[in-house]
Amino acid sequence: MKCPYCGAEMEAGVIQSPHELAWNDKKYFAARAQLHKGSIVLSELSMLKGSAIIAHCCRKCEKIVIDYQNGICDINRKNKF
Ligand SMILES: [Zn+2]
């Protein structure tokens, strides 16, 4: 993936958590996506594997990009197929 800021090739990596990974419009005490309209689930919680997504990093621009189209970033989901 090319960096949308500088055009250099980005470094692929992983962001992981023991909890669900979701984007929300603000910080909530209970961050579960199913509780909040408009939430975007990046990786559903797996009790065995935890949550993990693929993200691309540009160290020069200090930016991290997550492509969540069709759940492509979710490592747990990818392993189901
Ligand atoms: Zn960059």
Side-chain angles (χ1 to χ4, degrees), residues 12-48:
V14 173
I15 297 173
Q16 64 185 83
S17 170
H19 305 287
E20 174 188 79
L21 287 169
W23 178 93
N24 287 301
D25 61 345
K26 63 180 182 178
K27 186 179 186 306
Y28 291 101
F29 177 74
R32 294 287 313 271
Q34 67 185 44
L35 302 175
H36 307 292
K37 185 178 178 184
S39 289
I40 299 169
V41 176
L42 301 172
S43 180
E44 293 181 3
L45 177 63
S46 166
M47 297 303 273
L48 294 176

Side-chain angles (χ1 to χ4, degrees), residues 3-8 10 58-63:
C3 175
Y5 296 90
C6 73
M10 299 183 86
C58 179
R59 293 179 190 269
K60 177 183 166 192
C61 298
E62 299 182 344
K63 307 289 186 197

Side-chain angles (χ1 to χ4, degrees), residues 48-72:
L48 294 176
K49 303 176 195 171
S51 300
I53 57 171
I54 296 169
H56 291 81
C57 176
C58 179
R59 293 179 190 269
K60 177 183 166 192
C61 298
E62 299 182 344
K63 307 289 186 197
I64 293 175
V65 174
I66 300 164
D67 180 3
Y68 70 92
Q69 187 176 37
N70 298 321
I72 192 171

